Amino acid sequence: MFCQQAGACWPRKETRMTGRPRSGAERLTRGGIVAAAVELADTEGLGALSMRSVAQQLSVTPMSLYNHVANKEELLDGMVDAVFAEFYAPAPGAEWHSELRRRALTAREALKRHPWAVGLMDSRRNAGYETLLHHDAVIGCLREAGFSLALTGHAFAVLDAHLYGFLIQEVSMPFEPGQDLAELGHQIMAALPEGQLPYFREFTLEHALQPGYDFGDEFEVGLELILDGLAQRLASTDRERAS
């Protein structure tokens, strides 16, 4: 059943973006088409993606794509699968805290490279093989660490909620990372009614606009809070089992 849902389990080499062949004809494989589509979405945004635009990217005719990809929806399935392949897959049996931390950090970096993918990662009805492989690794890491099935579900859900929720905020910021925010901050402050919003004013002036502040640093802080909370819940579950 999973293989049918995964588009006949696409070969892993086909979905991994491992290099760019020299000509469009050489890239006219399922994996090459997906890689070209990802490249196009990275540079021009998901709104620019179509079978025609991908064909132009490959310097081939649009009809030639349909020998490898049925339609745009199948192409999107492959693109999401390719991004999942860039996430670190935690190793079942290894120390779960560090494995899931590494998974979250690499996933964030992958989604920053492919911001169009943030809202698509768990939205596809036909999950690819890399997607299912990654999910299996995360579940296996939690189960081998002693998480019950229910606690595994809770952990997976809250970790992904933090990952995708944070990335939606991060890629939507009205400024670039590292950009001097003083001018933007002063514009915001100047528009505030005098004497109003004291807590917002304090936080903005004395924290968010201070040198060295980077919203992206909040990701790891939130991640550690979640992992620590899961560790406490796991320990509590172990005590209940022992008693």
Side-chain angles (χ1 to χ4, degrees), residues 177-219:
Q179 179 180 339
D180 183 6
L181 302 181
E183 182 178 351
L184 177 61
H186 289 310
Q187 290 176 0
I188 295 174
M189 292 297 105
L192 292 180
E194 189 65 31
Q196 300 296 310
L197 309 178
Y199 303 111
F200 177 80
R201 187 184 298 272
E202 176 193 36
F203 180 85
T204 303
L205 293 176
E206 299 183 23
H207 183 65
L209 292 182
Q210 292 298 306
Y213 176 79
D214 185 346
F215 175 75
D217 293 340
E218 307 292 356
F219 180 79

Side-chain angles (χ1 to χ4, degrees), residues 56-132:
Q56 291 174 345
Q57 183 89 347
L58 290 165
S59 301
V60 298
T61 62
M63 289 304 298
S64 63
L65 302 185
Y66 291 97
N67 294 320
H68 307 276
V69 181
N71 49 43
K72 183 179 176 181
E73 286 302 308
E74 188 173 306
L75 181 59
L76 286 169
D77 291 340
M79 293 167 66
V80 168
D81 207 43
V83 176
F84 263 115
E86 297 184 26
F87 291 13
Y88 173 73
E95 200 283 310
W96 69 270
H97 189 287
S98 59
E99 287 293 292
L100 292 177
R101 184 178 189 278
R102 182 178 176 187
R103 180 255 181 182
L105 296 179
T106 60
R108 178 183 171 224
E109 290 305 312
L111 291 171
K112 287 169 66 177
R113 289 191 295 271
H114 312 296
W116 53 268
V118 172
L120 295 178
M121 296 306 290
D122 283 323
S123 71
R124 310 310 300 165
R125 294 177 64 88
N126 298 309
Y129 181 73
E130 293 288 351
T131 303
L132 298 177

Side-chain angles (χ1 to χ4, degrees), residues 88-96 99 136-145:
Y88 173 73
E95 200 283 310
W96 69 270
E99 287 293 292
D136 184 74
V138 175
I139 294 169
C141 182
L142 291 164
R143 291 289 287 146
E144 291 297 326

